[in-house]
Amino acid sequence: MVQYQQIDRTFAALADPTRRGVLERLGQGSATITELAEPFGISLTGMKKHVRVLEEAELVTTEKVGRSRRCILGPRRLDDVQHWIEDYRQMIEARLDRFGELLERTKGESQ
């Protein structure tokens, strides 16, 4: 069973367009906080807050390199969300299959 606290943190992290942009950028390779902040035109403090949220969701990891902090995609990525979506998809498909069977039975009775 998927841990809902982790999924909640992941969805909360992904809810912000800046954080989604950070993940897209880190998909191309590691970057410093300064490099991440530049295209968004936000302060380093603002970007650090975004990165902290991504770290808490385990979507990003950081390490101190000299005077800067380098960010990379985290180990967790979107595994929990992917499993949750797959479980939900299977549940919906099962319901639709049962509905289709009901329609077929009802169709046969009405003729």
Side-chain angles (χ1 to χ4, degrees), residues 44-83:
L44 293 178
T45 302
M47 182 53 70
K48 286 178 188 178
K49 289 178 183 180
H50 284 296
V51 168
R52 188 176 319 117
V53 171
L54 292 167
E55 278 185 297
E56 289 171 1
E58 298 181 34
L59 297 173
V60 169
T61 59
T62 63
E63 71 173 324
K64 190 138 175 97
V65 178
R67 292 177 48 181
S68 62
R69 185 158 290 280
R70 184 148 293 277
C71 305
I72 59 171
L73 288 177
R76 194 126 193 166
R77 312 235 169 135
L78 298 174
D79 296 341
D80 286 341
V81 172
Q82 182 178 351
H83 290 131

Side-chain angles (χ1 to χ4, degrees), residues 3-60:
Q3 295 295 322
Y4 288 112
Q5 289 179 339
Q6 183 61 39
I7 290 174
D8 291 345
R9 278 193 295 269
T10 301
F11 279 130
L14 295 174
D16 185 274
T18 300
R19 291 192 286 268
R20 291 191 305 269
V22 167
L23 291 176
E24 287 178 30
R25 167 55 186 85
L26 293 177
Q28 299 169 15
S30 68
T32 64
I33 299 282
T34 302
E35 292 168 339
L36 292 173
E38 286 174 6
F40 296 101
I42 62 176
S43 68
L44 293 178
T45 302
M47 182 53 70
K48 286 178 188 178
K49 289 178 183 180
H50 284 296
V51 168
R52 188 176 319 117
V53 171
L54 292 167
E55 278 185 297
E56 289 171 1
E58 298 181 34
L59 297 173
V60 169

